[in-house]
């Protein structure tokens, strides 16, 4: 297998892009990434997107975006794994390069969420759950996470304030990211004062609905030299992906993200590292509870101790386990199908040493992207070349 | 001319079950909104947001099945009497039949005859089983009744229902029918046209020529045919649009109030329309002794009455314990103010 | 409240939803909900219908205050994970209960209620919900 490296990244700010449509956002991110990589054409395009059919009545995103960005008659497809679509699209791009089928691959993650009524957005997001046995009952995605959150607090004795610390950390980091939706620090009290969306989960426990696109250019280590210096190269050293029951009620254990555990183990093995070698973690904090569970499931914290890391201040950029270094889903924003690619872009910044909120001497970073309530999870390990 | 309705075979009730939603609104609260005082009843039941005549019918039917202890697949007809059908066209009975596991080897239909649709279904069930056509038939009466906001009816129109499983008379029969009698005339005291949200009624015309005339005629007709006098009955349940009317009927017939009160629930749950006498009878069956004779007379606007004479059997003692009793539902209550009541009744335009 | 999809989509699950019918593996006896083509316990593929008693306990719950479109009229409503006495956990709405009354381990029983209605001219969907037992 060939060694895959990322040589270019591009993105749009995350936010409410009233004047830009999905194709505009995707093309902008894509062209930025190509410029960053110094390439003027790619062999193929993988699009990470969750729900364009529902949000903007548009499928066939491969054709739409490749055409709009002027990439010519290349192969281009959409990769869908709910909110993990971005992470999965990166993996598909990497696979294409590793197997030798394609030399220079573009991956773009994009979601346009603000063109629908809020209650419809809530509905479309819930399409990632089990339509027949969950959504049928009027459940929202927030509600599903609230069910986990309440059980987590009960089982381990945490309070809503404890979990709020994840949001506080995300905002502290997002404040330094020019591309973040919320560039504002918040306090635990602000989280506590925000209204319940699905008790005990509050508005500020949740990541915002947003528009955005992010892109990366992947090639082989050999080929990369034609375009960029070593300093710009970041290796995709490990990948893992796994599913779990789509229906939350069918899980053996409500408080373990089994898919994350399996995916992380695979990724660590492929990269030849252990969790202790990782310098920072971009985990999927769509809700504060998911940050806690993710840290436990990928082996950073023991079972029931994820929220303790936040209480102990270990998740800050200068802590032992920095997470959400550029705001995470909570502060950077969560344009669902794009999120996994945003995480990848941010990890590349950290490993190049050019992040606006730099983790000192970062060598290895992890991105973890969750689809559904943990039913489809990707873990990628990125390493400085 | 023989007027008594009596099938070839002796039939009776093998299972019964009632259901009343948990929500109540006091007449005072309705009066507060419309500036009315002096009320027909104390309070009435109100359906939850997720309840309709079908769901009420389902729970009543399940309770009846628990008492009957039969395989639902042996029910060969399910007839559902209601005037608040969730669908104008599409049977409600099929939903209930599916929900209780009675499908597919059965007949099913919705019956409508204002407030006597439930006993009308029962008459049909008696005939179906009594003729030997079927082993068991289920009759249900249930409503989430409509009353125009501010109208007299709004103070009483309520939600509830009960189900009866009719079978051939055996030791499993908890009460059997001695006979029945139906009295029908064309008397338009109350109606609702297609596509209208609320019924219209003839105000005081609904009394003497409609309610009182039909009920008294049916009760007298039944007693004459069976050669009984009012004193032969231990309990009497009459259609109960309010508290006053059924007590007046008792007075006219010479039946003491004490025999009527156990089955007179309208003061605390309102008028459950098609469910009214069925719920009243279920309350009586919850307390009656073997050997008791019960007079049961419904009334449906338009107009007509069905009258039945029931004899309670030994099986009642054991079977009544197999499902929640009527008063378990009646006593389970949560009060709504008018704003929430309006929400429960689907009055808000979204 | 939103246009219905073709009724076939809902109709094929009526029985399971009205009655809480799941699956039981004929090979290992494992019961599960909803019924699956492959036993999650032993991988057996011979699965029969299994009627649950409808009795269970609340494992976790939430109050939906911002529902997906189509459910707005019902808000706020509780949704819970209920562990059935036969083992499986199901997600469903709780009904006839105040949010303050709900607690971990609270006993509940299944009832069949309206789950969703589609506009004035659409179909009405019924299904299992749970409530505190009557007795």
């Amino acid at each position: 297998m060939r060694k895959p490296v990322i040589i270019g990244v591009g993105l749009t700010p995350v936010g409410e892009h009233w004047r830009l449509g999905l194709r505009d956002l995707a093309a902008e991110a894509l062209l930025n990434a190509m410029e960053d990589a110094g390439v003027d054409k790619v062999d193929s395009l993988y699009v990470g997107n969750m729900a364009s059919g529902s949000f903007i009545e548009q499928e066939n995103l491969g054709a739409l975006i490749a055409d709009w960005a002027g990439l010519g008659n290349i192969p281009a497809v959409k990769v869908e794994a709910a909110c993990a679509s971005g992470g999965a699209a990166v993996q598909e791009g990497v696979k294409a390069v590793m197997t030798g089928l394609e030399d220079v691959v573009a991956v773009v993650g994009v979601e346009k969420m603000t063109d629908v009524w809020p209650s419809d957005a809530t509905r479309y997001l819930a399409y990632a759950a089990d339509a027949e046995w969950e959504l049928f009952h009027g459940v929202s995605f927030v509600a599903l996470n609230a069910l986990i959150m309440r059980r987590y607090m009960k089982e381990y004795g945490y309070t809503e304030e404890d979990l709020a610390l994840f949001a506080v950390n995300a905002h502290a980091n997002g404040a330094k990211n020019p591309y973040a939706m919320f560039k504002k620090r918040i306090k635990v009290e602000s989280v506590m004062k925000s209204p319940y969306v699905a008790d005990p989960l509050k508005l500020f426990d949740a990541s915002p609905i947003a528009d955005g696109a992010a892109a990366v250019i992947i090639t082989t280590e050999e080929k990369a030299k034609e375009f960029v210096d070593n300093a710009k190269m970041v290796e995709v050293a490990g990948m893992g992906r796994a599913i779990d029951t789509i229906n939350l009620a069918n899980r053996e254990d409500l408080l373990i993200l089994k898919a994350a555990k399996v995916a992380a183990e695979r990724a660590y093995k492929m990269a030849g590292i252990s969790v202790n070698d990782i310098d920072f973690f971009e985990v999927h904090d769509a809700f504060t509870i998911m940050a806690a569970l993710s840290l436990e499931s990928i082996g950073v914290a023991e079972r029931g101790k994820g929220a303790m890391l936040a209480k102990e201040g270990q998740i800050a950029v200068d802590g032992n386990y920095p997470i959400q270094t550029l705001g995470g889903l909570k502060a950077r924003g969560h344009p669902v199908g794009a999120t996994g690619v945003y995480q990848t872009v941010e990890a590349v910044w950290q490993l190049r040493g050019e992040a606006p909120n730099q983790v000192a001497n970062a060598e290895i970073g992890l991105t973890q992207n969750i689809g559904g309530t943990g039913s489809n999870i990707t873990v990628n390990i990125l390493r400085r070349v | 001319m023989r007027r008594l309705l009596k099938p070839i075979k002796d039939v009776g009730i093998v299972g019964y079950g009632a259901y009343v939603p948990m929500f109540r609104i006091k007449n005072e609260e309705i009066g507060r909104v419309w500036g009315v005082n002096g009320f027909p009843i104390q309070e009435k039941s109100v359906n939850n947001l997720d309840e309709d005549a079908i769901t009420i019918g389902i729970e009543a039917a399940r309770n009846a099945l628990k008492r009957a202890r039969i395989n639902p697949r042996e029910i060969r007809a399910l007839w559902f009497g209601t005037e608040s059908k969730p669908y104008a066209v599409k049977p409600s009975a099929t939903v209930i039949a599916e929900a209780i596991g009675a499908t597919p080897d059965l007949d099913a239909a919705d019956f409508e005859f204002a407030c006597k649709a439930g006993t009308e279904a029962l008459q049909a069930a008696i005939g179906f089983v009594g003729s030997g056509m079927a082993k068991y038939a289920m009759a249900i009466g249930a409503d989430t009744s409509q009353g125009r906001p501010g109208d007299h009816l709004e103070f009483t129109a309520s939600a509830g229902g009960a189900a009866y499983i009719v079978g051939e008379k055996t030791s499993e029969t908890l009460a059997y029918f001695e006979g029945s009698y139906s009295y029908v005339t064309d008397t338009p005291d109350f109606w609702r046209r297609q596509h209208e949200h609320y019924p219209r009624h003839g105000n005081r015309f609904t009394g003497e020529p409609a309610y009182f005339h039909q009920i008294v005629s049916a009760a007298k007709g039944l007693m004459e045919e069976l050669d009984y006098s009012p004193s032969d009955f231990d309990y009497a349940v009459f259609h109960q649009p309010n508290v006053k009317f059924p007590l007046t009927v008792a007075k006219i017939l010479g039946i003491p109030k004490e025999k009527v009160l156990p089955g007179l629930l309208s003061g605390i749950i309102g008028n459950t329309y098609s469910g009214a006498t069925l719920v009243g009878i279920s309350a009586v069956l919850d307390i009656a002794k073997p050997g008791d004779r019960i007079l049961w007379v419904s009334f449906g606007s338009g107009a007509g009455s069905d009258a039945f004479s029931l004899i309670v059997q030994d099986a009642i003692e054991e079977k009544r314990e197999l499902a929640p009793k009527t008063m378990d539902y009646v006593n389970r209550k949560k009060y709504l103010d008018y704003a929430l009541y309006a929400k429960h009744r689907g009055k808000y335009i979204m | 409240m939103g246009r219905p999809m073709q009724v076939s989509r809902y109709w094929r699950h009526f029985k399971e939803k009205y009655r809480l019918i799941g699956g039981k593996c004929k090979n290992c006896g494992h019961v599960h909900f909803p019924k699956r083509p492959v036993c999650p316990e032993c991988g057996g593929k011979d699965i029969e219908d299994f009627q649950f008693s409808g009795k269970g306990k609340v494992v976790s719950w939430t109050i939906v205050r911002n529902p997906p479109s189509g459910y707005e009229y019902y808000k706020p409503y509780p949704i819970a994970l209920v562990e059935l006495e036969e083992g499986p956990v199901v997600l469903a709405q709780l009904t006839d209960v105040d949010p303050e009354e709900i607690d971990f381990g609270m006993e509940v029983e299944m009832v069949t209620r309206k789950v969703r209605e589609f506009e004035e001219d659409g179909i009405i969907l019924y299904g299992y919900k749970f409530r505190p037992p009557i007795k």
Side-chain angles (χ1 to χ4, degrees):
Chain A
M1 291 281 187
R2 310 192 295 178
K3 189 192 247 189
V5 295
I6 295 171
I7 56 167
V9 297
L11 72 171
T12 71
V14 178
E16 294 165 313
H17 288 283
W18 305 118
R19 288 165 190 80
L20 298 176
L22 180 142
R23 67 181 80 192
D24 308 313
L25 294 165
E28 185 182 323
L30 199 46
L31 296 172
N32 285 344
M34 289 171 70
E35 192 186 336
D36 186 48
V39 301
D40 54 13
K41 60 184 175 60
V42 294
D43 297 329
S44 70
L45 171 69
Y46 294 86
V47 180
N49 173 271
M50 169 174 163
S52 59
S54 302
F55 280 117
I56 61 160
E57 302 177 319
Q58 177 72 63
E59 293 293 8
N60 199 4
L61 293 192
L64 177 86
I65 295 166
D67 174 33
W68 210 245
L71 302 183
N73 304 100
I74 60 165
V77 292
K78 164 171 163 171
V79 177
E80 190 272 311
C83 294
S85 299
V90 170
Q91 295 185 342
E92 293 309 305
V94 169
K95 280 198 252 177
V97 168
M98 286 179 75
T99 54
L101 277 176
E102 288 151 6
D103 287 332
V104 181
V105 169
V107 175
V108 63
V110 60
E111 205 77 54
K112 178 71 195 173
M113 303 173 75
T114 58
D115 281 350
V116 300
W117 305 117
S119 64
D120 283 334
T122 302
R123 160 163 294 277
Y124 303 149
L125 290 172
Y127 289 174
D130 187 323
E132 213 53 73
W133 305 102
E134 296 186 312
L135 177 56
F136 176 83
H137 299 282
V139 84
S140 64
F141 234 76
V142 188
L144 288 167
N145 280 274
L147 291 168
I148 302 174
M149 179 174 168
R150 192 187 292 278
R151 195 68 223 171
Y152 185 84
M153 287 161 49
K154 162 81 174 168
E155 204 99 346
Y156 304 128
Y158 289 112
T159 63
E160 293 178 36
E161 284 87 348
D162 294 337
L163 286 162
L165 291 167
F166 285 105
V168 172
N169 174 69
H171 274 257
N173 293 339
K176 296 179 182 165
N177 178 2
Y179 294 90
M181 183 162 179
F182 301 129
K183 300 182 215 37
K184 191 182 160 208
R185 301 175 72 96
I186 58 167
K187 295 176 177 166
V188 169
E189 298 84 78
S190 5
V191 180
M192 294 306 293
K193 273 191 218 152
S194 68
Y196 284 112
V197 183
D199 323 22
L201 204 155
K202 296 166 294 301
L203 186 65
F204 280 24
D205 283 305
S207 55
I209 281 171
D211 307 325
V216 295
I217 307 298
I218 305 162
T219 186
T220 63
E221 192 177 28
E222 286 300 300
K223 188 96 180 162
K225 293 178 181 129
E226 295 175 24
F227 306 110
V228 294
D229 298 335
N230 269 14
K232 281 195 102 167
M233 296 181 200
V234 170
E235 179 196 358
V236 182
M239 303 192 303
R241 183 157 93 217
I243 67 107
D244 201 344
T245 65
I246 189 162
N247 187 338
L248 185 62
N250 291 162
R251 303 266 163 87
E252 259 172 56
D253 188 337
L254 203 55
L255 300 183
I256 283 283
L257 296 171
K258 186 94 176 283
K261 189 169 184 288
V262 173
E265 280 163 5
R266 281 184 192 149
Y268 299 159
K269 191 176 173 203
M270 180 173 163
I273 61 161
S274 82
V275 67
N276 301 322
D277 300 322
I278 301 168
D279 300 302
F280 65 95
F281 304 85
E282 294 301 330
V283 296
H284 191 96
D285 62 333
F287 305 95
T288 50
I289 177 64
M290 278 296 135
L293 279 191
S294 294
L295 289 173
E296 294 171 24
S297 304
I298 63 175
V300 177
E302 284 174 25
R303 190 189 165 104
K305 301 283 189 221
M308 196 54 78
L309 291 184
K311 285 180 85 170
E312 294 167 354
Q314 300 209 58
I315 59 171
V317 165
D318 56 0
N320 286 332
Y321 307 101
I323 71 167
Q324 323 307 73
T325 61
L326 291 149
L329 283 61
K330 173 68 189 88
R332 174 233 299 129
H334 183 29
V336 288
T339 287
V341 187
Y342 271 99
Q343 291 175 323
T344 309
V345 169
E346 290 159 0
V348 168
W349 284 346
Q350 289 289 4
L351 297 169
R352 284 179 180 175
E354 61 187 36
N357 190 36
Q358 185 64 43
V359 174
N361 306 315
E363 292 276 344
I364 299 176
L366 174 146
T367 63
Q368 176 241 21
N369 195 194
I370 305 180
T373 49
S375 56
N376 207 336
I377 300 184
T378 69
V379 172
N380 292 335
I381 306 291
L382 277 67
R383 183 158 52 197
R384 202 155 73 186
V385 171
Chain B
M1 184 188 81
R2 180 176 179 261
R3 295 185 298 163
L4 190 71
L5 298 169
K6 193 162 170 54
I8 296 162
K9 296 180 169 201
D10 282 335
V11 300
I13 297 162
V14 297
Y16 71 97
Y19 177 75
V20 180
M22 76 180 294
F23 297 94
R24 303 285 180 277
I25 184 167
K26 294 188 172 182
N27 268 198
E28 269 171 28
E29 173 65 5
I30 300 172
R32 178 180 70 82
V33 173
W34 302 109
V36 176
N37 50 30
F39 307 118
I41 60 169
Q42 192 182 318
E43 60 201 40
K44 67 168 190 174
S45 59
V46 184
N47 55 287
N48 201 344
L49 283 167
D50 58 5
E51 292 182 300
D52 59 16
I54 287 176
T55 66
I56 290 170
I58 290 170
E59 184 151 350
R62 284 183 177 148
N63 285 334
L65 265 173
K66 283 182 197 161
R67 289 199 171 98
R69 292 185 294 207
I70 61 167
N71 179 346
R73 293 288 305 276
E74 290 189 302
I75 296 170
R76 305 298 306 283
L78 190 151
W79 289 316
F80 182 53
T82 182
E83 64 172 82
S84 38
K85 291 165 54 113
Y87 292 94
V89 176
K90 193 228 162 285
S92 301
T94 53
V95 183
I96 301 174
E98 197 81 79
I100 65 169
T103 50
D105 302 307
L106 82 167
D107 183 45
D110 295 355
F111 281 53
E112 192 279 311
F113 194 139
C115 293
K116 91 167 184 76
T119 54
E120 185 190 359
L122 183 62
Q123 286 285 36
I126 290 169
F128 211 55
V129 176
S131 66
M133 279 177 74
K135 190 169 181 188
Y136 299 111
M138 181 182 272
I140 307 171
D143 264 307
T144 53
S145 332
Q146 309 93 21
R148 190 180 303 276
D151 185 80
H152 303 312
L153 281 182
E154 196 190 14
F155 291 86
T156 53
S158 70
Y164 289 83
I165 301 173
V166 174
E168 204 178 326
K169 186 186 164 196
T170 67
S171 60
E172 278 288 294
T173 307
L174 51 89
Y176 69 92
F177 293 99
E178 289 189 292
S180 60
Y181 171 60
S182 288
Y183 186 92
V184 166
T185 64
D186 188 27
T187 308
D189 59 315
F190 168 103
W191 62 89
R192 178 163 65 84
R193 294 286 299 274
Q194 281 266 45
H195 311 304
E196 289 297 305
H197 287 294
Y198 306 109
R200 287 277 177 203
H201 57 82
N203 292 296
R204 289 189 58 78
F205 178 67
T206 60
E208 191 278 314
Y211 178 86
F212 291 106
H213 177 73
Q214 321 289 320
I215 287 201
V216 170
S217 302
K220 284 184 172 169
L222 180 77
M223 286 191 277
E224 278 169 26
E225 290 292 312
L226 289 171
D227 201 19
Y228 287 148
S229 68
S231 61
D232 290 317
F233 293 95
D234 300 290
Y235 294 99
V237 174
F238 303 115
H239 179 56
Q240 35 203 270
N242 49 39
V243 175
K244 197 167 99 186
F245 276 27
L247 288 178
T248 305
V249 166
K251 209 169 184 180
I252 294 168
L253 294 173
I255 293 175
K257 203 176 170 182
E258 299 69 54
K259 293 184 177 180
V260 179
L261 291 178
L264 181 53
L265 302 176
S266 54
I268 46 175
I269 64 167
N271 180 4
T272 60
Y273 282 45
S274 303
T277 58
L278 286 79
V279 174
I281 288 289
S282 76
V284 169
L285 290 174
D286 285 343
I287 57 164
K289 293 186 301 296
D292 283 346
R293 180 176 286 120
I294 304 169
L295 175 64
W296 174 356
V297 193
S298 65
F299 167 71
S301 287
S305 283
D306 298 315
F308 307 86
S309 176
L310 266 178
I311 303 272
V312 179
Q313 297 216 111
D314 291 345
I316 190 73
E317 306 275 18
E318 186 198 357
K319 284 191 160 185
R320 69 162 60 113
E321 304 302 331
L322 300 178
K325 301 210 177 93
T326 315
M327 294 311 286
D328 293 335
Y329 288 110
V330 173
N331 294 330
R332 178 188 76 133
K333 54 186 175 182
K334 186 184 166 193
Y335 289 100
L336 300 176
D337 60 16
Y338 199 91
L340 273 173
Y341 161 74
K343 186 182 178 191
H344 279 234
R345 298 293 298 150
K347 299 303 175 203
Y348 295 115
I349 298 166
M350 301 291 277
Chain C
M1 293 200 200
R3 300 296 300 177
M5 296 180 78
Q6 171 58 277
V7 291
S8 53
R9 180 189 159 186
Y10 307 107
W11 165 80
R12 69 176 69 97
H13 293 297
F14 276 178
K15 250 196 263 186
E16 293 154 278
K17 285 181 174 168
Y18 291 178
R19 280 141 74 177
L20 198 66
I21 289 174
K24 181 177 181 181
C25 176
K26 281 181 156 176
N27 179 45
C28 75
H30 178 81
V31 294
H32 53 268
F33 186 91
K35 187 180 172 187
R36 291 165 171 267
V38 180
C39 173
E41 196 67 27
C42 74
K45 293 184 183 66
D46 197 1
I47 315 285
E48 60 185 353
D49 281 2
F50 181 81
Q51 173 69 61
F52 287 96
S53 72
K55 292 187 182 0
K57 287 180 178 169
V58 170
V59 173
S60 191
W61 75 98
T62 183
I63 310 298
V64 179
R65 298 179 190 277
N66 295 48
S69 49
Y71 295 82
E72 290 95 337
Y73 197 85
Y74 302 106
K75 75 181 176 185
Y77 50 87
I79 282 194
L81 289 169
V82 172
E83 187 176 348
L84 302 172
E85 64 178 4
E86 295 89 348
V89 176
V90 298
L91 179 138
Q93 285 187 29
L94 300 180
T95 189
D96 291 358
V97 66
D98 281 334
E100 309 79 63
E101 296 169 37
I102 308 169
D103 205 352
F104 295 103
M106 184 177 81
E107 289 188 11
V108 290
E109 64 184 10
M110 190 275 267
V111 289
T112 305
R113 294 287 176 92
K114 267 194 301 192
V115 177
R116 193 176 177 197
E117 282 180 76
F118 294 95
E119 298 185 346
E120 294 264 295
D121 61 350
I123 60 162
I124 306 166
L125 300 178
Y126 298 88
Y128 52 85
K129 293 189 182 184
F130 292 84
R131 66 146 185 235
I134 289 294
K135 283 181 147 177

